[in-house]
Amino acid sequence: MMPVILCVDDDKTVLQSLRTLLTKTLGVPCQVEIAESGQEALEILDEFRAEGRDVHVVISDFIMPSMRGDELLVRLHEKSPQMIKIMLTGQADFDGVKRVINEANLYRFLEKPFNNADLALTARSAVQARVREVALLARVAELERKVQVMQQAFGQASGQEMGSSHGPTAGA
């Protein structure tokens, strides 16, 4: 499934710039979704989860009306702790950044105006890290299933051996 990046900012111009930059420079096919508010971002996440899909990376502004970026990232983390979170802003306070680091596992903080190459590199490394994590978790689950099957087969084989070895001895 194609990785999803969710960009959240109350400035439509910034959102369009992010969408253009990310679709042209990531080097990996990604779906870029945009939200103009924290509430819209939460709704988009819920829609993806209802479809059984994942939002891999979120890039959020800090200062937005009705819900600040630190609050949004903490709430997204509560719903989807494995999502990689990037904060992008020119006006963050230290307490807000500290909160996101401590409560939402902030991946990176980038200042506005952002450097296109830095943002693209950060987003690319975040997507790649999340895609690798998803692949590793799938592999671990597959190996756990195989171990379970082997344990069941071993248990049945051991039970049959024990039953057949005890059978003649008990009858003799």
Side-chain angles (χ1 to χ4, degrees):
M1 214 176 281
M2 186 181 300
V4 177
I5 299 175
L6 174 59
C7 300
V8 189
D9 199 308
D10 59 316
D11 185 336
K12 291 179 186 182
T13 306
V14 171
L15 287 174
Q16 290 306 321
S17 297
L18 286 170
R19 176 178 266 164
T20 301
L21 175 68
L22 295 172
T23 54
K24 290 185 178 185
T25 61
L26 272 184
V28 236
C30 282
Q31 180 177 343
V32 179
E33 293 289 326
I34 58 174
E36 294 180 24
S37 70
Q39 187 58 44
E40 185 180 357
L42 292 167
E43 290 167 8
I44 289 171
L45 176 64
D46 288 343
E47 288 171 15
F48 272 89
R49 292 176 78 198
E51 296 170 2
R53 296 182 62 204
D54 193 19
V55 173
H56 295 74
V57 176
V58 63
I59 301 171
S60 176
D61 187 21
F62 182 73
I63 301 296
M64 296 183 291
S66 76
M67 186 186 307
R68 288 185 356 173
D70 58 335
E71 177 65 24
L72 170 63
L73 294 179
V74 168
R75 289 176 66 181
L76 287 171
H77 184 74
E78 289 168 355
K79 290 176 173 260
S80 185
Q82 72 283 0
M83 179 190 305
I84 295 179
K85 290 150 292 279
I86 299 168
M87 184 180 285
L88 177 67
T89 191
Q91 305 173 15
D93 63 48
F94 178 72
D95 289 335
V97 174
K98 188 171 124 181
R99 178 177 184 220
V100 177
I101 290 169
N102 292 331
E103 296 178 35
N105 195 23
L106 184 67
Y107 179 76
R108 182 104 186 257
F109 174 83
L110 298 173
E111 290 184 83
K112 285 182 181 175
F114 54 85
N115 174 295
N116 287 353
D118 189 31
L119 180 64
L121 179 62
T122 299
R124 183 181 311 118
S125 67
V127 167
Q128 290 171 341
R130 183 67 188 119
V131 166
R132 278 193 303 270
E133 181 182 24
V134 168
L136 285 172
L137 290 172
R139 181 70 176 138
V140 166
E142 176 188 340
L143 290 172
E144 287 173 343
R145 281 190 300 274
K146 287 181 178 182
V147 165
Q148 236 177 6
V149 168
M150 291 173 70
Q151 286 175 333
Q152 289 172 349
F154 180 73
Q156 289 174 353
S158 295
Q160 288 173 355
E161 282 180 25
M162 293 174 103
S164 62
S165 64
H166 291 308
T169 310

